[in-house]
mmCIF file of all heavy atoms in Angstrom:
data_model
loop_
_atom_site.group_PDB
_atom_site.id
_atom_site.type_symbol
_atom_site.label_atom_id
_atom_site.label_comp_id
_atom_site.label_asym_id
_atom_site.label_seq_id
_atom_site.Cartn_x
_atom_site.Cartn_y
_atom_site.Cartn_z
ATOM 1 N N ALA A 327 0.129 38.019 22.007
ATOM 2 C CA ALA A 327 0.756 37.409 20.837
ATOM 3 C C ALA A 327 0.118 37.905 19.543
ATOM 4 O O ALA A 327 0.813 38.189 18.560
ATOM 5 C CB ALA A 327 0.660 35.885 20.928
ATOM 6 N N GLN A 328 -1.218 38.020 19.530
ATOM 7 C CA GLN A 328 -1.886 38.506 18.335
ATOM 8 C C GLN A 328 -1.508 39.955 18.041
ATOM 9 O O GLN A 328 -1.278 40.335 16.893
ATOM 10 C CB GLN A 328 -3.412 38.381 18.490
ATOM 11 C CG GLN A 328 -3.929 36.956 18.543
ATOM 12 C CD GLN A 328 -3.858 36.361 19.936
ATOM 13 O OE1 GLN A 328 -3.122 36.844 20.792
ATOM 14 N NE2 GLN A 328 -4.625 35.305 20.169
ATOM 15 N N LYS A 329 -1.444 40.775 19.098
ATOM 16 C CA LYS A 329 -1.070 42.176 18.912
ATOM 17 C C LYS A 329 0.373 42.288 18.442
ATOM 18 O O LYS A 329 0.722 43.156 17.623
ATOM 19 C CB LYS A 329 -1.248 42.943 20.225
ATOM 20 C CG LYS A 329 -0.970 44.437 20.107
ATOM 21 C CD LYS A 329 -1.938 45.112 19.158
ATOM 22 C CE LYS A 329 -1.851 46.640 19.260
ATOM 23 N NZ LYS A 329 -0.571 47.184 18.870
ATOM 24 N N SER A 330 1.235 41.400 18.918
ATOM 25 C CA SER A 330 2.630 41.420 18.476
ATOM 26 C C SER A 330 2.737 41.104 16.987
ATOM 27 O O SER A 330 3.510 41.731 16.261
ATOM 28 C CB SER A 330 3.446 40.414 19.292
ATOM 29 O OG SER A 330 4.782 40.372 18.845
ATOM 30 N N GLY A 331 1.940 40.126 16.521
ATOM 31 C CA GLY A 331 1.941 39.811 15.099
ATOM 32 C C GLY A 331 1.409 40.960 14.257
ATOM 33 O O GLY A 331 1.937 41.250 13.175
ATOM 34 N N LEU A 332 0.383 41.661 14.756
ATOM 35 C CA LEU A 332 -0.155 42.812 14.033
ATOM 36 C C LEU A 332 0.871 43.937 13.972
ATOM 37 O O LEU A 332 1.044 44.578 12.927
ATOM 38 C CB LEU A 332 -1.438 43.294 14.707
ATOM 39 C CG LEU A 332 -2.086 44.550 14.110
ATOM 40 C CD1 LEU A 332 -2.488 44.308 12.667
ATOM 41 C CD2 LEU A 332 -3.292 44.978 14.953
ATOM 42 N N ASN A 333 1.556 44.175 15.091
ATOM 43 C CA ASN A 333 2.585 45.217 15.103
ATOM 44 C C ASN A 333 3.693 44.907 14.099
ATOM 45 O O ASN A 333 4.200 45.803 13.419
ATOM 46 C CB ASN A 333 3.178 45.351 16.504
ATOM 47 C CG ASN A 333 2.165 45.874 17.509
ATOM 48 O OD1 ASN A 333 1.114 46.383 17.127
ATOM 49 N ND2 ASN A 333 2.477 45.740 18.770
ATOM 50 N N ARG A 334 4.058 43.637 13.998
ATOM 51 C CA ARG A 334 5.104 43.261 13.053
ATOM 52 C C ARG A 334 4.648 43.475 11.616
ATOM 53 O O ARG A 334 5.412 43.937 10.763
ATOM 54 C CB ARG A 334 5.509 41.803 13.275
ATOM 55 C CG ARG A 334 6.740 41.372 12.505
ATOM 56 C CD ARG A 334 7.068 39.917 12.730
ATOM 57 N NE ARG A 334 7.328 39.629 14.122
ATOM 58 C CZ ARG A 334 6.571 38.865 14.886
ATOM 59 N NH1 ARG A 334 5.478 38.313 14.368
ATOM 60 N NH2 ARG A 334 6.878 38.648 16.136
ATOM 61 N N SER A 335 3.396 43.146 11.350
ATOM 62 C CA SER A 335 2.874 43.341 9.994
ATOM 63 C C SER A 335 2.806 44.823 9.635
ATOM 64 O O SER A 335 3.126 45.213 8.505
ATOM 65 C CB SER A 335 1.478 42.713 9.872
ATOM 66 O OG SER A 335 1.525 41.317 10.117
ATOM 67 N N ILE A 336 2.405 45.675 10.588
ATOM 68 C CA ILE A 336 2.358 47.114 10.334
ATOM 69 C C ILE A 336 3.757 47.660 10.076
ATOM 70 O O ILE A 336 3.973 48.465 9.159
ATOM 71 C CB ILE A 336 1.689 47.837 11.518
ATOM 72 C CG1 ILE A 336 0.214 47.441 11.622
ATOM 73 C CG2 ILE A 336 1.827 49.348 11.377
ATOM 74 C CD1 ILE A 336 -0.496 48.017 12.832
ATOM 75 N N SER A 337 4.725 47.212 10.859
ATOM 76 C CA SER A 337 6.098 47.681 10.664
ATOM 77 C C SER A 337 6.652 47.233 9.313
ATOM 78 O O SER A 337 7.416 47.964 8.668
ATOM 79 C CB SER A 337 6.992 47.174 11.799
ATOM 80 O OG SER A 337 6.525 47.642 13.056
ATOM 81 N N GLN A 338 6.284 46.032 8.872
ATOM 82 C CA GLN A 338 6.759 45.551 7.578
ATOM 83 C C GLN A 338 6.231 46.406 6.432
ATOM 84 O O GLN A 338 6.943 46.640 5.447
ATOM 85 C CB GLN A 338 6.344 44.092 7.365
ATOM 86 C CG GLN A 338 7.238 43.082 8.061
ATOM 87 C CD GLN A 338 6.836 41.659 7.729
ATOM 88 O OE1 GLN A 338 5.660 41.366 7.483
ATOM 89 N NE2 GLN A 338 7.779 40.755 7.709
ATOM 90 N N GLU A 339 4.995 46.876 6.539
ATOM 91 C CA GLU A 339 4.414 47.672 5.461
ATOM 92 C C GLU A 339 5.021 49.065 5.379
ATOM 93 O O GLU A 339 4.996 49.678 4.310
ATOM 94 C CB GLU A 339 2.901 47.772 5.637
ATOM 95 C CG GLU A 339 2.165 46.453 5.494
ATOM 96 C CD GLU A 339 2.348 45.833 4.121
ATOM 97 O OE1 GLU A 339 2.606 46.571 3.157
ATOM 98 O OE2 GLU A 339 2.239 44.597 4.016
ATOM 99 N N ALA A 340 5.601 49.584 6.481
ATOM 100 C CA ALA A 340 6.272 50.892 6.480
ATOM 101 C C ALA A 340 5.358 51.974 5.907
ATOM 102 O O ALA A 340 5.670 52.623 4.912
ATOM 103 C CB ALA A 340 7.590 50.821 5.714
ATOM 104 N N TRP A 341 4.222 52.194 6.557
ATOM 105 C CA TRP A 341 3.258 53.178 6.062
ATOM 106 C C TRP A 341 3.845 54.583 6.062
ATOM 107 O O TRP A 341 3.599 55.358 5.134
ATOM 108 C CB TRP A 341 1.998 53.137 6.932
ATOM 109 C CG TRP A 341 1.272 51.835 6.866
ATOM 110 C CD1 TRP A 341 1.363 50.892 5.877
ATOM 111 C CD2 TRP A 341 0.333 51.314 7.818
ATOM 112 N NE1 TRP A 341 0.544 49.826 6.151
ATOM 113 C CE2 TRP A 341 -0.105 50.060 7.338
ATOM 114 C CE3 TRP A 341 -0.183 51.787 9.018
ATOM 115 C CZ2 TRP A 341 -1.026 49.275 8.023
ATOM 116 C CZ3 TRP A 341 -1.103 51.018 9.712
ATOM 117 C CH2 TRP A 341 -1.529 49.773 9.207
ATOM 118 N N GLY A 342 4.598 54.920 7.079
ATOM 119 C CA GLY A 342 5.174 56.260 7.137
ATOM 120 C C GLY A 342 6.113 56.535 5.979
ATOM 121 O O GLY A 342 6.130 57.643 5.425
ATOM 122 N N ARG A 343 6.909 55.551 5.602
ATOM 123 C CA ARG A 343 7.825 55.734 4.470
ATOM 124 C C ARG A 343 7.052 55.892 3.173
ATOM 125 O O ARG A 343 7.452 56.656 2.283
ATOM 126 C CB ARG A 343 8.773 54.540 4.392
ATOM 127 C CG ARG A 343 9.880 54.687 3.361
ATOM 128 C CD ARG A 343 10.911 53.603 3.545
ATOM 129 N NE ARG A 343 10.332 52.277 3.383
ATOM 130 C CZ ARG A 343 10.968 51.154 3.752
ATOM 131 N NH1 ARG A 343 12.157 51.226 4.307
ATOM 132 N NH2 ARG A 343 10.389 49.982 3.562
ATOM 133 N N THR A 344 5.923 55.197 3.039
ATOM 134 C CA THR A 344 5.095 55.348 1.844
ATOM 135 C C THR A 344 4.561 56.767 1.727
ATOM 136 O O THR A 344 4.587 57.378 0.644
ATOM 137 C CB THR A 344 3.929 54.349 1.879
ATOM 138 O OG1 THR A 344 4.446 53.016 1.927
ATOM 139 C CG2 THR A 344 3.056 54.493 0.652
ATOM 140 N N VAL A 345 4.075 57.334 2.824
ATOM 141 C CA VAL A 345 3.556 58.706 2.789
ATOM 142 C C VAL A 345 4.672 59.695 2.477
ATOM 143 O O VAL A 345 4.475 60.670 1.734
ATOM 144 C CB VAL A 345 2.862 59.036 4.127
ATOM 145 C CG1 VAL A 345 2.431 60.500 4.170
ATOM 146 C CG2 VAL A 345 1.662 58.127 4.344
ATOM 147 N N THR A 346 5.856 59.458 3.029
ATOM 148 C CA THR A 346 6.987 60.346 2.739
ATOM 149 C C THR A 346 7.329 60.333 1.254
ATOM 150 O O THR A 346 7.561 61.390 0.640
ATOM 151 C CB THR A 346 8.204 59.929 3.571
ATOM 152 O OG1 THR A 346 7.879 59.992 4.962
ATOM 153 C CG2 THR A 346 9.387 60.842 3.290
ATOM 154 N N MET A 347 7.368 59.150 0.660
ATOM 155 C CA MET A 347 7.651 59.056 -0.767
ATOM 156 C C MET A 347 6.577 59.753 -1.593
ATOM 157 O O MET A 347 6.876 60.470 -2.559
ATOM 158 C CB MET A 347 7.765 57.582 -1.178
ATOM 159 C CG MET A 347 8.972 56.861 -0.635
ATOM 160 S SD MET A 347 9.013 55.139 -1.203
ATOM 161 C CE MET A 347 10.498 54.557 -0.374
ATOM 162 N N LEU A 348 5.310 59.542 -1.232
ATOM 163 C CA LEU A 348 4.236 60.201 -1.959
ATOM 164 C C LEU A 348 4.353 61.719 -1.870
ATOM 165 O O LEU A 348 4.087 62.439 -2.845
ATOM 166 C CB LEU A 348 2.879 59.760 -1.410
ATOM 167 C CG LEU A 348 2.416 58.338 -1.742
ATOM 168 C CD1 LEU A 348 1.155 58.006 -0.954
ATOM 169 C CD2 LEU A 348 2.154 58.177 -3.227
ATOM 170 N N THR A 349 4.794 62.237 -0.724
ATOM 171 C CA THR A 349 4.844 63.680 -0.522
ATOM 172 C C THR A 349 5.862 64.339 -1.438
ATOM 173 O O THR A 349 5.553 65.285 -2.168
ATOM 174 C CB THR A 349 5.165 63.992 0.940
ATOM 175 O OG1 THR A 349 4.172 63.393 1.782
ATOM 176 C CG2 THR A 349 5.191 65.484 1.180
ATOM 177 N N TYR A 350 7.112 63.853 -1.411
ATOM 178 C CA TYR A 350 8.120 64.553 -2.214
ATOM 179 C C TYR A 350 7.992 64.219 -3.698
ATOM 180 O O TYR A 350 8.340 65.047 -4.554
ATOM 181 C CB TYR A 350 9.530 64.248 -1.695
ATOM 182 C CG TYR A 350 10.100 62.895 -1.996
ATOM 183 C CD1 TYR A 350 10.653 62.607 -3.243
ATOM 184 C CD2 TYR A 350 10.145 61.902 -1.023
ATOM 185 C CE1 TYR A 350 11.202 61.367 -3.509
ATOM 186 C CE2 TYR A 350 10.696 60.667 -1.281
ATOM 187 C CZ TYR A 350 11.231 60.400 -2.533
ATOM 188 O OH TYR A 350 11.784 59.178 -2.798
ATOM 189 N N LYS A 351 7.473 63.054 -4.049
ATOM 190 C CA LYS A 351 7.297 62.744 -5.468
ATOM 191 C C LYS A 351 6.120 63.511 -6.061
ATOM 192 O O LYS A 351 6.161 63.930 -7.229
ATOM 193 C CB LYS A 351 7.101 61.241 -5.654
ATOM 194 C CG LYS A 351 8.356 60.425 -5.370
ATOM 195 C CD LYS A 351 8.135 58.954 -5.610
ATOM 196 C CE LYS A 351 9.406 58.160 -5.303
ATOM 197 N NZ LYS A 351 9.250 56.716 -5.544
ATOM 198 N N ALA A 352 5.072 63.703 -5.269
ATOM 199 C CA ALA A 352 3.939 64.498 -5.761
ATOM 200 C C ALA A 352 4.365 65.936 -6.009
ATOM 201 O O ALA A 352 3.919 66.573 -6.977
ATOM 202 C CB ALA A 352 2.785 64.447 -4.758
ATOM 203 N N ALA A 353 5.235 66.477 -5.155
ATOM 204 C CA ALA A 353 5.716 67.843 -5.362
ATOM 205 C C ALA A 353 6.508 67.969 -6.652
ATOM 206 O O ALA A 353 6.415 68.985 -7.355
ATOM 207 C CB ALA A 353 6.569 68.283 -4.175
ATOM 208 N N ARG A 354 7.277 66.942 -7.022
ATOM 209 C CA ARG A 354 8.054 66.987 -8.259
ATOM 210 C C ARG A 354 7.185 66.862 -9.501
ATOM 211 O O ARG A 354 7.573 67.290 -10.584
ATOM 212 C CB ARG A 354 9.110 65.879 -8.259
ATOM 213 C CG ARG A 354 10.190 66.002 -7.214
ATOM 214 C CD ARG A 354 10.942 67.317 -7.323
ATOM 215 N NE ARG A 354 11.639 67.475 -8.578
ATOM 216 C CZ ARG A 354 12.917 67.162 -8.776
ATOM 217 N NH1 ARG A 354 13.631 66.673 -7.779
ATOM 218 N NH2 ARG A 354 13.495 67.342 -9.961
ATOM 219 N N HIS A 355 6.000 66.253 -9.359
ATOM 220 C CA HIS A 355 5.110 66.073 -10.501
ATOM 221 C C HIS A 355 3.976 67.095 -10.537
ATOM 222 O O HIS A 355 3.067 66.981 -11.370
ATOM 223 C CB HIS A 355 4.505 64.659 -10.491
ATOM 224 C CG HIS A 355 5.495 63.582 -10.798
ATOM 225 N ND1 HIS A 355 6.239 62.946 -9.831
ATOM 226 C CD2 HIS A 355 5.881 63.033 -11.983
ATOM 227 C CE1 HIS A 355 7.029 62.045 -10.391
ATOM 228 N NE2 HIS A 355 6.841 62.075 -11.691
ATOM 229 N N GLY A 356 4.017 68.075 -9.640
ATOM 230 C CA GLY A 356 2.977 69.097 -9.637
ATOM 231 C C GLY A 356 1.722 68.724 -8.886
ATOM 232 O O GLY A 356 0.732 69.461 -8.940
ATOM 233 N N GLY A 357 1.709 67.612 -8.194
ATOM 234 C CA GLY A 357 0.540 67.201 -7.428
ATOM 235 C C GLY A 357 0.633 67.630 -5.979
ATOM 236 O O GLY A 357 1.575 68.312 -5.554
ATOM 237 N N THR A 358 -0.347 67.244 -5.199
ATOM 238 C CA THR A 358 -0.402 67.583 -3.783
ATOM 239 C C THR A 358 -0.809 66.357 -2.982
ATOM 240 O O THR A 358 -1.520 65.479 -3.479
ATOM 241 C CB THR A 358 -1.407 68.723 -3.505
ATOM 242 O OG1 THR A 358 -2.683 68.345 -4.008
ATOM 243 C CG2 THR A 358 -0.952 70.016 -4.151
ATOM 244 N N VAL A 359 -0.358 66.325 -1.736
ATOM 245 C CA VAL A 359 -0.715 65.261 -0.790
ATOM 246 C C VAL A 359 -1.343 65.908 0.426
ATOM 247 O O VAL A 359 -0.796 66.882 0.966
ATOM 248 C CB VAL A 359 0.523 64.426 -0.390
ATOM 249 C CG1 VAL A 359 0.164 63.435 0.706
ATOM 250 C CG2 VAL A 359 1.081 63.688 -1.600
ATOM 251 N N HIS A 360 -2.476 65.411 0.852
ATOM 252 C CA HIS A 360 -3.195 65.948 2.008
ATOM 253 C C HIS A 360 -3.443 64.825 3.007
ATOM 254 O O HIS A 360 -3.534 63.651 2.642
ATOM 255 C CB HIS A 360 -4.530 66.570 1.591
ATOM 256 C CG HIS A 360 -4.394 67.710 0.630
ATOM 257 N ND1 HIS A 360 -4.268 69.016 1.021
ATOM 258 C CD2 HIS A 360 -4.351 67.724 -0.728
ATOM 259 C CE1 HIS A 360 -4.163 69.790 -0.030
ATOM 260 N NE2 HIS A 360 -4.210 69.032 -1.119
ATOM 261 N N LYS A 361 -3.565 65.230 4.268
ATOM 262 C CA LYS A 361 -3.887 64.284 5.334
ATOM 263 C C LYS A 361 -5.210 64.689 5.980
ATOM 264 O O LYS A 361 -5.481 65.876 6.162
ATOM 265 C CB LYS A 361 -2.784 64.253 6.396
ATOM 266 C CG LYS A 361 -1.493 63.613 5.927
ATOM 267 C CD LYS A 361 -0.493 63.506 7.057
ATOM 268 C CE LYS A 361 0.797 62.833 6.591
ATOM 269 N NZ LYS A 361 1.782 62.706 7.699
ATOM 270 N N VAL A 362 -5.998 63.676 6.317
ATOM 271 C CA VAL A 362 -7.297 63.900 6.953
ATOM 272 C C VAL A 362 -7.345 63.101 8.250
ATOM 273 O O VAL A 362 -6.572 62.159 8.439
ATOM 274 C CB VAL A 362 -8.457 63.474 6.018
ATOM 275 C CG1 VAL A 362 -8.462 64.325 4.759
ATOM 276 C CG2 VAL A 362 -8.357 61.998 5.661
ATOM 277 N N PRO A 363 -8.238 63.443 9.171
ATOM 278 C CA PRO A 363 -8.336 62.688 10.425
ATOM 279 C C PRO A 363 -8.644 61.220 10.172
ATOM 280 O O PRO A 363 -9.470 60.868 9.319
ATOM 281 C CB PRO A 363 -9.482 63.388 11.167
ATOM 282 C CG PRO A 363 -9.549 64.750 10.578
ATOM 283 C CD PRO A 363 -9.152 64.599 9.145
ATOM 284 N N ALA A 364 -7.974 60.364 10.939
ATOM 285 C CA ALA A 364 -8.109 58.928 10.725
ATOM 286 C C ALA A 364 -9.268 58.282 11.473
ATOM 287 O O ALA A 364 -9.823 57.288 10.992
ATOM 288 C CB ALA A 364 -6.802 58.232 11.118
#
Side-chain angles (χ1 to χ4, degrees):
Q328 293 84 341
K329 184 63 168 64
S330 177
L332 177 61
N333 294 346
R334 189 182 300 114
S335 299
I336 294 175
S337 300
Q338 279 184 329
E339 294 299 334
W341 296 339
R343 187 169 60 194
T344 300
V345 175
T346 301
M347 291 181 181
L348 287 172
T349 302
Y350 75 80
K351 291 182 181 181
R354 295 303 298 266
H355 290 90
T358 56
V359 174
H360 299 270
K361 290 185 179 181
V362 297

